[in-house]
Amino acid sequence: MSTATKPRHIGRNISRIRELKDMKQDALALALGISQQMVSNIENSETVDEQRLIEIAKALDVSVEAIKNFSEEAVFNIIGNTIQDNGTLSTTTGNYNCTFNPLDKVVELYERLVQAEKDKVEYLEKLLNGK
């Protein structure tokens, strides 16, 4: 029975960090000067060349160690230990209360998109009827 731990999947770590930073593969590819397909291949690889890893860490604005040691559990622990029951973010510098309801912002955006579509349809109908 082996007590050796399975090495971390570096590509998966890169993918999760990229996603947490709300970055698309295309954006990372552009930052690295490679194709999106190459980024996809890297993210599917268990290991990544050290020099490439340094470039990726720089593009993601994290340390190489952060990529190598990334774990979902750590992220959830950080979130769990910083969010209090009243919905505020607790930090060493103070509490930050959200001053708006995020769902209201989503509804507002949806309504603006619907209105934009209605305006577009109206404009197109005027163009078609005007000819």
Side-chain angles (χ1 to χ4, degrees):
M1 186 151 75
S2 174
T3 58
T5 59
K6 184 178 177 191
R8 295 190 185 267
H9 193 291
I10 300 299
R12 192 173 304 124
N13 292 353
I14 292 168
S15 174
R16 290 299 295 139
I17 292 169
R18 177 185 55 74
E19 291 168 353
L20 288 169
K21 289 186 161 279
D22 199 24
M23 181 185 275
K24 302 274 187 208
Q25 281 185 343
D26 291 334
L28 182 56
L30 185 62
L32 296 172
I34 60 176
S35 70
Q36 178 272 326
Q37 185 61 41
M38 284 185 70
V39 170
S40 179
N41 291 341
I42 290 169
E43 290 182 353
N44 288 320
S45 301
E46 265 192 56
T47 60
V48 176
D49 174 70
E50 192 68 24
Q51 183 57 42
R52 178 67 77 188
L53 194 56
I54 292 169
E55 294 169 5
I56 292 169
K58 186 176 179 181
L60 291 173
D61 196 28
V62 297
S63 68
V64 171
E65 291 77 26
I67 294 174
K68 288 181 177 179
N69 299 321
F70 177 82
S71 77
E72 299 274 338
E73 296 81 24
V75 172
F76 292 129
N77 284 337
I78 290 168
I79 292 170
N81 290 329
T82 57
I83 303 295
Q84 300 172 350
D85 287 339
N86 62 0
T88 61
L89 177 63
S90 173
T91 67
T92 56
T93 59
N95 292 331
Y96 298 95
N97 293 317
C98 190
T99 58
F100 60 89
N101 182 346
L103 288 177
D104 289 342
K105 294 294 182 181
V106 171
V107 169
E108 180 182 318
L109 176 60
Y110 176 76
E111 289 172 346
R112 286 185 8 219
L113 288 171
V114 168
Q115 186 59 47
E117 286 298 313
K118 286 180 182 177
D119 293 344
K120 187 179 0 174
V121 168
E122 184 180 321
Y123 176 74
L124 291 172
E125 285 176 346
K126 285 181 183 178
L127 281 178
L128 290 174
N129 292 336
K131 288 186 177 181

